[in-house]
Amino acid sequence: MSTPIEDYALISDLETAAMVGRNGSIDWLCLPRFDSPACMAALLGTEDNGFWRVSPVARGPCTRRAYRPDTLVLESRWDSATGSVRVTDFMPPRTRLPCIVRVVEGLSGSVTMRSELRLRFHQGRVVPWIRVTDRCTVAVAGPDAVWLNADAPVRAADSHDGAVPAVRDSTVLDFTVPAGRRVALTLVWSPSHLAELPAPLGVPTETILKETGDFWRRWAGRCRYEGPWRDAVVRSLITLKALTYAPTGGIVAAPTTSLPGCIGGERNWDHRFCWLRDSALTLSCLLRSGYRDEAAAWLDWLVRAIAGDPADLQTVYGVGGQRLLPESEAPWLTGYEGSRPVRFGNSAVSQFQLDVYGEVLDTLHLSLRAGIPMPTHVWSLVEALMGHLHRHWREPDQGLWQVRGPRRQFVHSKVMAWVAADRALRMGKLLGRNGSSGEWRAMRDEVHRQVCQEGWDVEQRSFVQSYGSSALDASALLIPRLGFLPARDERVLGTVRAMRELDHGGFVRRYAPNGQGAHDSQGVHDGQGVHSVDGMHGTEGTFVACSLWYADALAATGHAEQARDAFERVLDIRNDVGLLSEQWDPDAGRQLGNAPQAFSHIALVETAFALSSPPSPRPRGLS
């Protein structure tokens, strides 16, 4: 049985991340980058696909755990009949080579501990060559080498004693920690052609632990939010920072791949990349929270990534801005709780999504208003993007949700085409560039008229998912935030009211699952269990960001108490260390999808700011 998704905590060095379970096992780690092949992949298979567990010999989940306040330093405590022990896990912010430090400290009595490391390079399948020196253990396979070192005497465990599987390609160390004793285990990755043990820290473990904690506390101390949910906001911002690839400023959607939206299903995607759909929300979140440098770095990544022909604009890029992210499947991995296929790479790079033009131009406009320096060629980029969009905005696309079904005239995509024209006009006014304003204004007006006519369902009194459909889509909740219509408009009120149809257990779906909700002209499903919109079998959980958009929309339309209730329901589904995945299953009471999800944490911060603003007068028509 797989470890529940909500049992994992995150540690990061701002270039990659590890997922640490309540049982003390690191079950997911890609080295040296977020998007590198995994060398520990038990999360998506079995222990034979790689893990590193540090825990009492008796195993079992920790008694309690928490991050040190305002840091990404994780402390897990085990209490047993013989004593208590604490394991402190962290990754120092990268200066040279990635490393993980695990400090074991006896608190009371005496506890026998075991470190069991099983490395499997190249996505959990390549068994390394292991050799033991007088100083450490090194595992090598192809271009990768991992060095494991202890700063105190430990002994190799007998792998045939029945307590440990007889696996010759694992490193098993036993040691006893009485009260007051500390043992630090350090794992360092290096290119395999380096013959000597790299110096992972260069200073005592306690010094680097203090420096790591101080780094995070200084960073968290810059947060400008002072509302009632400060702890949740700071934890979300730390998580967002942890998902940032520091060398380029790119922010990955999640550090994991193929954690399912439906247990046993096929909705398993690789999220270790950077999505343009997140760009405007990310920038807004960082700017209003006081992180201008990070916002500028994100903008720099964005401008570099999208450079080139606007016809080649993608929805997703690699952390370095790379465009080729070929999607492949890993049949040697059984999948999280049997959810297959396990995917690496993401074919969404080849999809046509109109909304990304609006996301990019909205981000550039936000940056300009905030006074972030932009390259001199940005206006040429704006003109190129708008020229392409002006020619193609009437075409169907695959939409915000990157559906793998047929292209459609998605309402959100058209709204974002309106956003693109609107923000281009606003930027032109700020910069004194009016050469194309007449053409862009005509396009903006035409898009608005078309959406209000073709995207509106008279019977439901709501905007719908696509032209000719009566199916609802939670993305319509963004209409007032984007400025397409004011929050007090009757069409917005009707849409917010209609979104109750997407409610499941107090949370909001992206759209109706198979066989539920309204049918469109092509039917909700084809009789073979394939959803007609997204082209996938089965259903999925509720979408965390959509539940937060609903809270935003309630607040914008003057329903502060309902908005607060919706927001606090989301706060309640965070795990014990404050992390959110992409989705939530209200029936099973568990997290689903890749975790932790940047989109969820960005939305949490935005909603906290929205609900901490002075309330608007209550309008009529929603309740």
Side-chain angles (χ1 to χ4, degrees):
M1 188 68 178
S2 299
T3 298
I5 293 170
E6 57 269 22
D7 274 9
Y8 285 100
L10 176 80
I11 56 175
S12 167
D13 68 354
L14 309 183
E15 294 190 31
T16 192
M19 301 294 286
V20 188
R22 289 180 57 88
N23 61 355
S25 182
I26 294 176
D27 291 340
W28 182 255
L29 176 64
C30 300
L31 292 172
R33 306 193 331 179
F34 289 109
D35 55 356
S36 297
C39 63
M40 298 179 196
L43 179 66
L44 299 178
T46 68
E47 288 190 344
D48 196 46
N49 298 116
F51 70 99
W52 182 20
R53 182 169 49 248
V54 176
S55 69
V57 168
R59 299 192 179 184
C62 62
T63 307
R64 57 185 179 273
R65 66 176 181 172
Y67 288 114
R68 290 187 179 182
D70 291 353
T71 77
L72 206 65
V73 177
L74 179 69
E75 294 184 332
S76 304
R77 173 173 174 148
W78 281 263
D79 297 320
S80 69
T82 63
S84 299
V85 66
R86 177 170 59 221
V87 177
T88 302
D89 293 322
F90 67 99
M91 297 179 74
R94 185 86 60 92
T95 56
R96 180 168 167 254
L97 295 173
C99 70
I100 297 175
V101 183
R102 314 194 75 177
V103 180
V104 184
E105 180 183 5
L107 302 177
S108 66
S110 182
V111 181
T112 300
M113 300 292 291
R114 173 164 287 159
S115 166
E116 185 174 0
L117 172 64
R118 190 174 304 168
L119 290 160
R120 293 293 185 271
F121 294 104
H122 198 66
Q123 317 293 30
R125 66 172 172 173
V126 174
V127 179
W129 171 56
I130 297 176
R131 59 187 172 93
V132 180
T133 72
D134 58 350
R135 298 175 61 197
C136 67
T137 299
V138 59
V140 176
D144 302 294
V146 167
W147 308 71
L148 176 64
N149 182 57
D151 69 351
V154 296
R155 63 181 176 83
D158 180 2
S159 63
H160 299 278
D161 63 3
V164 181
V167 178
R168 288 161 45 186
D169 45 32
S170 297
T171 300
V172 183
L173 304 173
D174 281 353
F175 51 97
T176 299
V177 284
R181 186 191 180 201
R182 291 188 175 194
V183 177
L185 301 169
T186 304
L187 181 147
V188 184
W189 175 93
S190 73
S192 60
H193 63 268
L194 296 182
E196 297 297 325
L197 167 67
L201 303 178
V203 294
T205 301
E206 281 304 303
T207 300
I208 200 69
L209 173 56
K210 180 181 183 302
E211 290 176 350
T212 300
D214 289 346
F215 167 86
W216 285 108
R217 280 187 288 270
R218 285 194 303 270
W219 191 87
R222 291 162 49 197
C223 176
R224 289 203 303 232
Y225 178 82
E226 296 295 343
W229 302 288
R230 181 175 170 81
D231 287 347
V233 167
V234 169
R235 179 52 53 195
S236 288
L237 289 167
I238 288 174
T239 303
L240 188 61
K241 177 68 170 176
L243 298 180
T244 301
Y245 184 67
T248 66
I251 301 173
V252 297
T256 58
T257 178
S258 299
L259 291 180
C262 175
I263 299 298
E266 63 176 333
R267 298 170 186 268
N268 316 317
W269 315 112
D270 193 346
H271 280 178
R272 300 171 302 148
F273 310 115
C274 309
W275 264 260
L276 296 192
R277 72 174 185 191
D278 305 355
S279 60
L281 284 175
T282 301
L283 195 84
S284 172
C285 170
L286 291 170
L287 286 173
R288 71 194 311 177
S289 301
Y291 295 99
R292 186 182 179 86
D293 291 345
E294 285 76 10
W298 172 246
L299 177 67
D300 286 346
W301 173 88
L302 176 70
V303 172
R304 291 193 306 271
I306 65 175
D309 188 339
D312 297 329
L313 191 66
Q314 297 180 179
T315 179
V316 57
Y317 295 83
V319 293
Q322 64 267 39
R323 291 170 173 263
L324 296 178
L325 309 174
E327 185 175 301
S328 62
E329 298 180 0
W332 60 91
L333 291 171
T334 57
Y336 182 86
E337 293 191 19
S339 305
R340 304 177 77 173
V342 171
R343 294 183 174 93
F344 294 103
N346 201 305
S347 65
V349 296
S350 62
Q351 289 189 343
F352 175 53
Q353 292 182 226
L354 277 171
D355 63 290
V356 298
Y357 293 87
E359 300 288 0
V360 168
L361 289 165
D362 197 15
T363 304
L364 295 176
H365 176 246
L366 281 171
S367 303
L368 184 63
R369 287 183 56 194
I372 296 177
M374 289 191 290
T376 56
H377 66 273
V378 163
W379 184 251
S380 297
L381 174 64
V382 171
E383 290 183 315
L385 292 173
M386 281 303 302
H388 182 78
L389 185 61
H390 186 266
R391 294 189 296 273
H392 296 282
W393 73 267
R394 297 176 181 83
E395 298 174 14
D397 75 325
Q398 285 155 311
L400 169 70
W401 306 125
Q402 301 168 177
V403 300
R404 301 200 175 195
R407 292 184 180 184
R408 298 187 178 215
Q409 300 284 3
F410 286 106
V411 170
H412 178 75
S413 296
K414 305 306 183 189
V415 169
M416 293 309 298
W418 177 90
V419 168
D422 181 75
R423 303 317 189 253
L425 287 165
R426 292 174 185 269
M427 291 176 70
K429 185 175 182 179
L430 288 170
L431 296 171
R433 304 289 190 109
N434 299 312
S436 300
S437 59
E439 183 179 83
W440 296 350
R441 186 171 291 106
M443 172 189 157
R444 184 182 63 175
D445 294 345
E446 184 181 354
V447 175
H448 200 279
R449 285 193 300 270
Q450 187 186 92
V451 169
C452 290
Q453 180 177 345
E454 303 293 335
W456 176 257
D457 186 290
V458 175
E459 293 185 6
Q460 292 187 96
R461 305 289 301 166
S462 173
F463 287 102
V464 289
Q465 185 177 65
S466 61
Y467 296 174
S469 167
S470 59
L472 299 175
D473 192 300
S475 61
L477 291 166
L478 296 172
I479 283 175
R481 174 190 280 185
L482 294 168
F484 185 83
L485 287 173
R488 306 302 177 82
D489 190 286
E490 289 296 328
R491 290 164 291 186
V492 171
L493 292 172
T495 298
V496 175
R497 183 168 51 244
M499 289 299 155
R500 294 168 179 167
E501 295 298 318
L502 296 181
D503 178 273
H504 180 57
F507 300 88
V508 179
R509 297 183 185 272
R510 294 189 293 179
Y511 41 79
N514 284 357
Q516 298 181 21
H519 286 61
D520 63 17
S521 59
Q522 297 174 345
V524 169
H525 57 84
D526 66 0
Q528 302 298 318
V530 177
H531 199 294
S532 68
V533 173
D534 62 33
M536 307 300 294
H537 291 83
T539 183
E540 62 179 3
T542 59
F543 206 74
V544 173
C546 294
S547 298
L548 292 163
W549 296 347
Y550 185 56
D552 289 347
L554 287 170
T557 53
H559 295 78
E561 185 176 345
Q562 294 177 42
R564 186 184 183 107
D565 288 345
F567 180 57
E568 292 188 342
R569 279 195 296 273
V570 172
L571 295 183
D572 288 342
I573 65 172
R574 295 174 299 154
N575 73 357
D576 59 318
V577 291
L579 302 182
L580 288 165
S581 66
E582 182 184 39
Q583 300 181 29
W584 173 254
D585 182 347
D587 296 325
R590 63 179 299 181
Q591 294 186 3
L592 295 173
N594 286 305
Q597 186 80 13
F599 208 37
S600 299
H601 285 282
I602 291 166
L604 185 154
V605 174
E606 289 284 284
T607 301
F609 271 103
L611 299 190
S612 299
S613 302
S616 302
R618 181 181 177 90
R620 296 185 303 164
L622 185 60
S623 55

